[in-house]
């Protein structure tokens, strides 16, 4: 019995260590991609798809990106099997300009056959169509570009 308990403890430790290392790799890769993010009227727009990343990890990645930028519109997506997740995060200045992450997530979540909610600065959605992720990201980009151009007029 002690040997089984030791193996379970070791497995638990290795799973935690794997999760920690995976997060570090995702952070590093995300920061590298962030340098090439599109800037629209002074706002960084960052969209990225991750594979086999759950929504809580997407939130951690979003927190990292937010810590590096002042004005931003983020849309992070992930899929696992047929499931898909979307996370939108907007900076406070964009919310003051009238952008609403909840409205945007509800609009783009249709692409993944899902629905979502949240608050004006951060919203998330889940759906059953991971094939629609790229369409959702494209729709997010178009929405943000359009709204930022309207706000600048």
């Amino acid at each position: 019995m002690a040997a089984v308990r030791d193996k379970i403890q070791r497995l638990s430790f290795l799973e935690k260590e794997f999760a920690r290392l995976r997060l570090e790799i995702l952070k590093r890769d995300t920061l590298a991609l962030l340098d090439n993010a599109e800037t629209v009227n002074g706002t960084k727009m960052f969209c990225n798809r991750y594979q086999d990343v759950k929504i809580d990890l997407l939130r951690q990645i979003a927190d990292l990106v937010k810590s590096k930028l002042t004005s931003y519109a983020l849309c992070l997506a992930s899929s696992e099997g047929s499931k898909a997740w979307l996370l939108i995060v907007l900076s406070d200045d964009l919310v003051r300009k009238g952008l609403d992450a909840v409205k945007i997530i509800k609009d783009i979540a249709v692409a993944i056959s899902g629905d979502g909610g949240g608050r004006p600065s951060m919203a998330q959605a889940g759906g059953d169509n991971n094939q629609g992720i790229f369409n959702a990201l494209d729709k997010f980009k178009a929405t943000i570009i359009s709204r930022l151009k309207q706000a600048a007029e």
Side-chain angles (χ1 to χ4, degrees):
M1 286 302 244
V4 171
R5 245 178 295 168
D6 288 345
K7 294 282 184 195
I8 290 172
Q9 286 177 337
R10 178 77 176 142
L11 179 61
S12 177
F13 170 79
L14 291 174
E15 286 173 340
K16 288 176 185 174
E17 183 65 8
F18 174 76
R20 185 189 69 76
L21 291 172
R22 184 165 189 218
L23 177 60
E24 290 304 314
I25 290 168
L26 289 170
K27 285 179 176 180
R28 184 200 65 212
D29 292 349
T30 297
L31 290 176
L33 291 171
L34 190 58
D35 290 338
N36 298 322
E38 187 175 349
T39 301
V40 180
N41 293 343
T43 296
K44 278 280 194 180
M45 183 174 56
F46 181 75
C47 297
N48 199 32
R49 178 184 182 172
Y50 300 88
Q51 188 66 38
D52 297 325
V53 172
K54 297 212 182 310
I55 195 73
D56 60 327
L57 194 51
L58 288 181
R59 280 192 224 101
Q60 290 180 40
I61 293 167
D63 287 343
L64 170 71
V65 174
K66 287 170 28 180
S67 73
K68 303 293 181 188
L69 303 173
T70 53
S71 183
Y72 50 82
L74 314 176
C75 186
L76 307 180
S78 182
S79 62
E80 184 177 48
S82 65
K83 299 288 183 191
W85 293 276
L86 299 170
L87 177 68
I88 293 177
V89 184
L90 304 174
S91 57
D92 290 338
D93 65 313
L94 297 185
V95 173
R96 284 190 300 274
K97 290 178 182 176
L99 278 78
D100 185 334
V102 176
K103 291 178 183 173
I104 297 169
I105 201 80
K106 287 188 175 293
D107 187 39
I108 71 171
V110 172
I112 61 166
S113 302
D115 194 19
R119 55 187 192 274
S121 62
M122 184 171 76
Q124 66 186 47
D128 293 327
N129 177 17
N130 69 11
Q131 300 299 312
I133 286 178
F134 290 112
N135 289 338
L137 293 174
D138 288 343
K139 195 167 191 176
F140 172 81
K141 289 177 190 175
T143 299
I144 296 300
I145 289 169
S146 171
R147 294 295 304 273
L148 290 176
K149 285 183 179 178
Q150 287 173 1
E153 295 174 351

